[in-house]
Amino acid sequence: MSEKYLIGVDGSEPSRVALAWGLARATERGASVELIHVADDSFLSESVAFLSEAQLASEQMLQVETAYARELGFAGTITGTAVVGHPIAEIETASKRADLVVLGAHQGGRFSGSFFGTRAVKVAATAHCPVAVIPQVEARPNAPVVVGVDGSEASKRAIAFAAEQASLREVPLVAVYAWMPPLTPGLEYLWSEELVESQRAAAEEAIAIGVAGIAHRYPDLEVRREIVQSSPVAALVQAAEHAELLVVGSRGRGGISRLLLGSVSHGVLQALPCPVVVTRG
């Protein structure tokens, strides 16, 4: 069964950067594409006339962006959804029928705080499939794929996703494990040699378990292991400064907790050193 990519569109430049990224990946994977435009009804009048106008505007936006997708040369299947409603709820529902959600990253300007701006963090927290947030950065062909490792089930899913992407693009996979001794910064002189060694041993074990099986599944994939003494967000952002893609896992526990994105995922989405994919539990 063919994969489906759900790509958010709003006609802005950041949105079109994400659209081009998503279409390129869909072409590589032979995936179909569904474009979605959500007219936020948070500040709209509840009158039938206003809602009707909003729906019409949403449909017109979808038509324009569909035509633009064809102008970019995408020859695969494209469908579209134009709705008026709460953006987070609408994209969560739509994500149930997708294998990947692709969003642009708006920072500042008149789109600040819009569906595809800071709300992308909330989308990543609530979606039922991986979410890719694409910043406006220069393309880095042949650059590695970076993935965060911490020994959790969430990171194992992230590693599996990242390994597949790296193998497909024939680039190295960089698995990063970051650790910090549980002491107040500035009191490093209190660290014992035994404490540091135990932390390093735990890191090496976690990263070994995390990448176990990758060599068998992807025998030609180059896997680099990096154990960094730093905060996870800082380590991943630095490692991804020259990467093509950064993948992080987010624990999905259900209920109200699934509305909260982990601190690491949230941190890298705020920095966006390159396209970031957040995988879900």
Side-chain angles (χ1 to χ4, degrees):
M1 184 176 180
S2 175
E3 293 182 345
K4 174 185 281 189
Y5 289 1
L6 181 73
I7 307 176
V9 295
D10 65 11
S12 67
E13 182 60 27
S15 168
R16 288 192 165 185
V17 168
L19 176 58
W21 188 94
L23 293 176
R25 297 309 184 278
T27 298
E28 293 174 350
R29 299 284 294 179
S32 62
V33 167
E34 177 183 349
L35 305 185
I36 182 169
H37 179 264
V38 183
D40 192 342
D41 65 356
S42 301
F43 303 102
L44 295 177
S45 166
E46 295 183 359
S47 72
V48 175
F50 274 99
L51 294 177
S52 178
E53 285 295 318
Q55 179 64 38
L56 178 60
S58 183
E59 292 172 356
Q60 291 174 338
M61 173 65 70
L62 188 63
Q63 291 175 0
V64 170
E65 295 308 290
T66 299
Y68 180 72
R70 292 303 187 192
E71 290 176 9
L72 291 177
F74 183 70
T77 301
I78 299 181
T79 57
T81 298
V83 292
V84 178
H86 190 284
I88 307 303
E90 295 296 341
I91 202 69
E92 177 187 0
T93 298
S95 72
K96 294 178 181 179
R97 56 179 183 266
D99 296 285
L100 179 69
V101 172
V102 181
L103 305 176
H106 296 84
Q107 299 177 346
R110 65 189 181 94
F111 291 101
S112 180
S114 69
F115 170 44
F116 302 111
T118 57
R119 290 182 181 178
V121 173
K122 295 180 181 179
V123 171
T126 59
H128 296 267
C129 66
V131 175
V133 182
I134 315 302
Q136 292 178 276
V137 297
E138 293 184 4
R140 300 164 184 167
N142 304 317
V145 172
V146 173
V147 61
V149 179
D150 64 9
S152 67
E153 288 299 316
S155 76
K156 290 178 182 178
R157 287 186 287 271
I159 292 167
F161 184 95
E164 183 180 22
Q165 293 296 311
S167 177
L168 176 68
R169 307 189 67 73
E170 299 181 341
V171 298
L173 174 67
V174 179
V176 178
Y177 187 105
W179 67 276
M180 287 289 289
L183 294 173
T184 303
L187 299 180
E188 291 84 353
Y189 61 90
L190 295 178
W191 298 354
S192 67
E193 184 176 344
E194 291 78 10
L195 172 63
V196 174
E197 287 304 317
S198 66
Q199 289 285 335
R200 287 175 178 168
E204 291 173 356
E205 180 181 7
I207 204 168
I209 294 174
V211 301
I214 289 180
H216 176 72
R217 187 170 185 179
Y218 306 106
D220 297 326
L221 176 62
E222 176 187 353
V223 180
R224 303 174 186 169
R225 306 181 184 191
E226 294 187 4
I227 298 176
V228 183
Q229 186 174 315
S230 174
S231 71
V233 172
L236 290 171
V237 169
Q238 182 175 6
E241 286 180 351
H242 303 290
E244 178 180 354
L245 183 68
L246 170 59
V247 183
V248 292
S250 179
R251 299 172 177 84
R253 297 189 179 92
I256 191 66
S257 64
R258 60 188 296 274
L259 297 176
L260 304 176
L261 200 62
S263 59
V264 174
S265 302
H266 189 280
V268 297
L269 285 180
Q270 293 297 318
L272 284 176
C274 67
V276 173
V277 172
V278 178
T279 59
R280 296 291 300 168

